[in-house]
Amino acid sequence: MINASIFLRRALLADAIFSGVAALGFTFGASAFAALFNLPEALLRETGLFLVAYTALVGWLASRTAVPKPLVLLVVIGNAAWTVGSIALLFSDAVSPNLSGELMVVAQAIATGVFAELQYVGLRKSEGAVAV
């Protein structure tokens, strides 16, 4: 456990808010977004459902003054992987989004990459181990 810096907690909270909005939109509006972005409805709904759990985890981490460093690192690495995976998805033949869909995927990939960077910086600003 480490003492989470205010910077880290705010970066985690911003990620939780962004992810929570996406979770609600993709879970409950999957068919509308599928039509708007020309992306598979199942992909959007399953992404939304994953983000529900992710939002809970990141929101919980944001609410703690002491956090497990490996769990925060997992969030940072997961965000970085999400960024790379999102861009890779656009270059694959798995989906054929329209221009709006491509812009949405790129925008969320950039946002997720920014969260990864902010969380990493916040982790580095955090204090050492907490006495148990």
Side-chain angles (χ1 to χ4, degrees), residues 40-62:
E41 183 176 342
L43 172 66
L44 295 173
R45 182 166 289 112
E46 290 168 14
T47 298
L49 291 171
F50 168 79
L51 288 173
V52 168
Y54 177 80
T55 298
L57 169 66
V58 177
W60 178 80
L61 286 170

Side-chain angles (χ1 to χ4, degrees), residues 6-74:
I6 294 293
F7 190 95
L8 174 60
R9 293 176 64 200
R10 287 183 179 162
L12 290 166
L13 180 60
D15 189 0
I17 291 168
F18 180 85
S19 297
V21 169
L24 291 173
F26 289 158
T27 299
F28 298 110
S31 64
F33 283 121
L36 179 65
F37 298 133
N38 197 40
L39 288 167
E41 183 176 342
L43 172 66
L44 295 173
R45 182 166 289 112
E46 290 168 14
T47 298
L49 291 171
F50 168 79
L51 288 173
V52 168
Y54 177 80
T55 298
L57 169 66
V58 177
W60 178 80
L61 286 170
S63 72
R64 307 281 135 209
T65 55
V67 295
K69 185 176 182 178
L71 199 50
V72 176
L73 278 172
L74 180 65

Side-chain angles (χ1 to χ4, degrees), residues 56-122:
L57 169 66
V58 177
W60 178 80
L61 286 170
S63 72
R64 307 281 135 209
T65 55
V67 295
K69 185 176 182 178
L71 199 50
V72 176
L73 278 172
L74 180 65
V75 169
V76 171
I77 292 166
N79 277 336
W82 187 285
T83 299
V84 172
S86 296
I87 299 304
L89 180 67
L90 292 178
F91 287 104
S92 75
D93 290 330
V95 296
S96 299
N98 57 24
L99 180 59
S100 295
E102 289 176 354
L103 292 174
M104 185 276 298
V105 171
V106 169
Q108 65 81 32
I110 291 169
T112 305
V114 168
F115 287 134
E117 178 65 23
L118 291 173
Q119 291 158 355
Y120 180 73
V121 169

